Amino acid sequence: MVMIGSARIDENGHATWGKAGDQTGKEVSTQEWYLHSKGWYVIRAKSSKVAEDIATAMEHACANNNIGYDQKERFTAYDWCKYNNGGNYDPASITTKVETDCSALVRLCLAYAGIFVGDFYTANEYDVIMETGKFINATNPASRNPDYLRRGDILVTKVKGHTVVVLTNGKNVAKAKGEHVDNFVLVEDNMAVTYKLRTIEIVNGVAMEGGDVLLVQEILKARGYKGRDGKQLKLDGHTGNDYETSNTMYAIACYIEDRLKNGVDLGGKDGWGPKCWADQNFIVAEA
């Protein structure tokens, strides 16, 4: 069961003119995932920390009955944090009765994660969030199959409607992360960080991200491999979620094909696995 959280409706079942604060415990609350009749976009943070912060903020909002639903006073929760709490945008810190609506609450969750954008509504939410450059479109297949949703994903309807935050991982998320085969150390912000070397692939439309993906991009770029678009690979540590359009996966396939022409069989072209890592002398190749 995948759980989501959102600002939903006021105590009278209306969008406006209710009392401030959550009168029923359900105005801002969690529920089981459902497929909205207008369809979902799935917006996924590139950073796992950002995703976790977004989910945490939504959990805090759902647990704080000082936060109710009212479209007419939708700014009051956000503004309370902005002006009364020393720049702390944690919904748990709100101590007076305030209001929000679904999109204003997602904006507050973004602020808690350190991402500040102007006001938006569900009709333009997707565009505003994607313009930050900190998210990817993970819509397929996660928009219709919650097994591929990740904690911290933002769901918004494809036309004006509703928006929610995913609070629990779908059961297939772990499968999409790739096989751990060994460790390597990468220096980030002057700190040595240990990563797992995984099989870099796209499974069922779910993107991979992390230091190991970045390392593969750096290796391929240094060797002159370009993306499907003919441009140098973007060093962003993300595969994208569509194999047919992913520049990183295209460059991987080209590299494997070229190595085969030189008598080195690295396996299938749809992923960067243990044999590819071994080809860089990172690990001992599997027998």
Side-chain angles (χ1 to χ4, degrees), residues 145-187:
N145 187 344
D147 291 347
Y148 296 100
L149 288 172
R150 293 185 182 181
R151 175 174 166 84
D153 282 352
I154 298 170
L155 311 185
V156 61
T157 48
K158 294 185 176 181
V159 295
K160 182 180 178 181
H162 192 46
T163 183
V164 307
V165 169
V166 177
L167 302 179
T168 56
N169 283 328
K171 65 182 180 181
N172 285 341
V173 167
K175 295 179 182 178
K177 290 183 178 179
E179 174 190 5
H180 294 296
V181 294
D182 212 330
N183 294 328
F184 77 98
V185 176
L186 184 69
V187 176

Side-chain angles (χ1 to χ4, degrees), residues 1 49 64 67 76 114 168 180 212 258 266:
M1 178 186 301
K49 182 181 184 305
N64 187 348
I67 307 172
T76 56
T168 56
H180 294 296
D212 47 1
D258 285 348
L266 300 180

Side-chain angles (χ1 to χ4, degrees), residues 45-64:
K46 294 179 179 180
S47 163
S48 58
K49 182 181 184 305
V50 168
E52 178 59 29
D53 285 347
I54 289 171
T56 297
M58 180 57 73
E59 288 174 334
H60 288 180
C62 291
N64 187 348

Side-chain angles (χ1 to χ4, degrees), residues 20-36:
D22 194 335
Q23 307 302 312
T24 64
K26 296 182 179 180
E27 295 184 45
V28 180
S29 61
T30 63
Q31 64 186 130
E32 188 175 350
W33 174 90
Y34 65 95
L35 179 58
H36 199 284

Side-chain angles (χ1 to χ4, degrees), residues 41-55 105-117 120 124-139 150-156 163-166 207-209 234 236-241:
Y41 283 123
V42 181
I43 305 170
R44 178 165 295 159
K46 294 179 179 180
S47 163
S48 58
K49 182 181 184 305
V50 168
E52 178 59 29
D53 285 347
I54 289 171
L105 181 56
V106 168
R107 183 180 175 225
L108 177 57
C109 293
L110 290 170
Y112 179 76
I115 298 173
F116 295 92
V117 294
F120 56 76
N124 67 337
E125 177 177 334
Y126 174 85
D127 291 334
V128 170
I129 294 177
M130 292 299 291
E131 283 174 2
T132 67
K134 298 181 182 298
F135 296 84
I136 64 169
N137 181 337
T139 297
R150 293 185 182 181
R151 175 174 166 84
D153 282 352
I154 298 170
L155 311 185
V156 61
T163 183
V164 307
V165 169
V166 177
M208 289 184 67
E209 59 181 313
K234 184 177 181 180
D236 58 4
H238 300 272
T239 62
N241 60 2

